Amino acid sequence: MADALTIQLPNIPSAIALVGDREENLKLLSQQTGASLVLRGQELRISGTDQEISLASRLVRSLEKIWTKGNNISSADILTARQALDTHREEELQELQRDILAKTRRGEEIRAKTFRQKQYIDAIRKRDLTFCIGPAGTGKTYLAVVVAVQALLANQVEKLILTRPAVEAGEKLGFLPGDLQQKVNPYLRPLYDAIYEFIDPEKVPNLMERGIIEVAPLAYMRGRTLNHAFVIVDEAQNTTPAQMKMVLTRLGFRSRMVITGDTTQTDLPLNQQSGLAVALQILKNVEGIAFCEFIKKDVVRHALVQRIVAAYEQHEK
């Protein structure tokens, strides 16, 4: 006969955080443990075999630091916690949950959700140059922007430069209306969106006018030396080898640079090598450079994105 265990949650916000949108978290917890999880008010009822109940209870408790504050739990949080239990990395998990990178203007806490994300953040903090590759939705650019904005607000750097190559994903820039800046702005939109989470959008134009924040196409970097700056090169798989060499050699004194991209999502012509892929080969043994790689398990967007990435990987094999 199946047994049951009831966990009393402290308040309604913690219950909402644990359950997730449309009870997605309860479904995933059930998939991961074999137990049945049902929420009634502030009571979480776990039923199943002794082993299933024990695992589900440990998994829920390992996430307590997050849901007890009413902070949303993602599928990545649950899968990372399960990985921690399986590999006896509970202390690492607690450290990962404690390390709050920043709070958005809405008060949401931003932190690494997977062990690879934590390694990436540590690399950015310690190294002057960090490469990060991986599929969409793994937080490559977003986490780099979070660390960069915090460094700017703490006066560790004097300016924040966000750049990406203006390469069309199946569209032609020439057909878009407006001048060059207006044409490339859609490509830079994700970078603006990340900044707006931490800095009032009304203040950003003034910071841009003063050169403290610069969001520009990669071509604007040519001929410059970027001192006292935090530079993020996004969508780097769409650089040519010459462009990649150009931007890497812009790195100046007391500056940090993060290069992000997805080598499986190149929008370059078929006969054109990706500057990111070439750089990874050339620089792999150069001292002082950090290399981070995310996989589909690090996807922190909608759970469906992780399944889409996995399906495409399977198809390409």
Side-chain angles (χ1 to χ4, degrees), residues 120-121 123-133 139-148 160-164 191 218 229-236 244 247-248 251 255-261 276 289-290 292 294:
Y120 175 44
I121 290 162
I124 296 174
R125 286 168 168 169
K126 294 173 184 174
R127 301 294 180 93
D128 291 338
L129 178 58
T130 302
F131 283 84
C132 184
I133 61 170
K140 303 182 299 292
T141 305
Y142 183 76
L143 290 173
V145 171
V146 173
V147 177
L160 170 55
I161 298 172
L162 307 171
T163 183
R164 67 194 295 192
L191 303 178
L218 194 65
F230 200 120
V231 186
I232 298 172
V233 182
D234 188 33
E235 299 288 348
M244 177 60 76
V247 74
L248 289 173
L251 187 64
S255 288
R256 272 183 279 174
M257 185 179 287
V258 180
I259 312 286
T260 71
L276 177 59
I289 301 176
C292 302
F294 290 151

Side-chain angles (χ1 to χ4, degrees), residues 72-291:
N72 291 332
I73 287 175
S74 69
S75 59
D77 288 320
I78 294 170
L79 295 173
T80 300
R82 177 64 201 272
Q83 181 188 355
L85 294 180
D86 288 346
T87 55
H88 308 292
R89 297 169 76 180
E90 289 92 340
E91 282 189 23
E92 272 186 76
L93 180 68
Q94 294 302 307
E95 183 187 343
L96 183 149
Q97 294 174 356
R98 277 195 301 269
D99 188 5
I100 307 301
L101 283 177
K103 284 191 177 183
T104 67
R105 292 186 302 112
R106 298 188 303 275
E108 181 187 355
E109 291 182 348
I110 304 299
R111 55 185 170 72
K113 293 180 183 295
T114 72
F115 289 125
R116 285 188 183 84
Q117 283 192 347
K118 180 72 167 66
Q119 290 167 355
Y120 175 44
I121 290 162
D122 290 344
I124 296 174
R125 286 168 168 169
K126 294 173 184 174
R127 301 294 180 93
D128 291 338
L129 178 58
T130 302
F131 283 84
C132 184
I133 61 170
T138 48
K140 303 182 299 292
T141 305
Y142 183 76
L143 290 173
V145 171
V146 173
V147 177
V149 169
Q150 300 316 302
L152 182 67
L153 296 176
N155 296 315
Q156 295 171 4
V157 293
E158 295 175 2
K159 54 193 170 188
L160 170 55
I161 298 172
L162 307 171
T163 183
R164 67 194 295 192
V167 174
E168 304 95 330
E171 301 173 50
K172 296 296 179 187
L173 280 173
F175 292 125
L176 297 174
D179 59 21
L180 177 61
Q181 192 61 45
Q182 290 171 318
K183 286 183 178 186
V184 299
N185 268 349
Y187 295 93
L188 306 172
R189 185 84 250 164
L191 303 178
Y192 284 114
D193 289 345
I195 290 172
Y196 292 157
E197 289 213 30
F198 304 97
I199 300 175
D200 187 336
E202 293 180 3
K203 295 179 180 177
V204 172
N206 176 257
L207 293 171
M208 294 180 76
E209 283 175 22
R210 292 159 56 198
I212 294 172
I213 292 179
E214 184 177 347
V215 184
L218 194 65
Y220 285 29
M221 300 300 111
R222 193 172 298 279
R224 301 170 59 184
T225 301
L226 307 172
N227 292 320
H228 308 286
F230 200 120
V231 186
I232 298 172
V233 182
D234 188 33
E235 299 288 348
Q237 74 275 6
N238 288 331
T239 61
T240 64
Q243 285 175 324
M244 177 60 76
K245 182 181 177 183
M246 178 274 290
V247 74
L248 289 173
T249 53
R250 301 306 94 200
L251 187 64
F253 293 106
R254 291 189 59 201
S255 288
R256 272 183 279 174
M257 185 179 287
V258 180
I259 312 286
T260 71
D262 178 358
T263 50
T264 69
Q265 294 281 341
T266 300
D267 297 312
L268 294 166
L270 289 176
N271 61 347
Q272 175 65 68
Q273 276 189 304
S274 165
L276 177 59
V278 172
L280 292 173
Q281 285 297 314
I282 293 174
L283 303 175
K284 61 185 177 184
N285 295 320
V286 174
E287 188 180 348
I289 301 176
F291 297 93

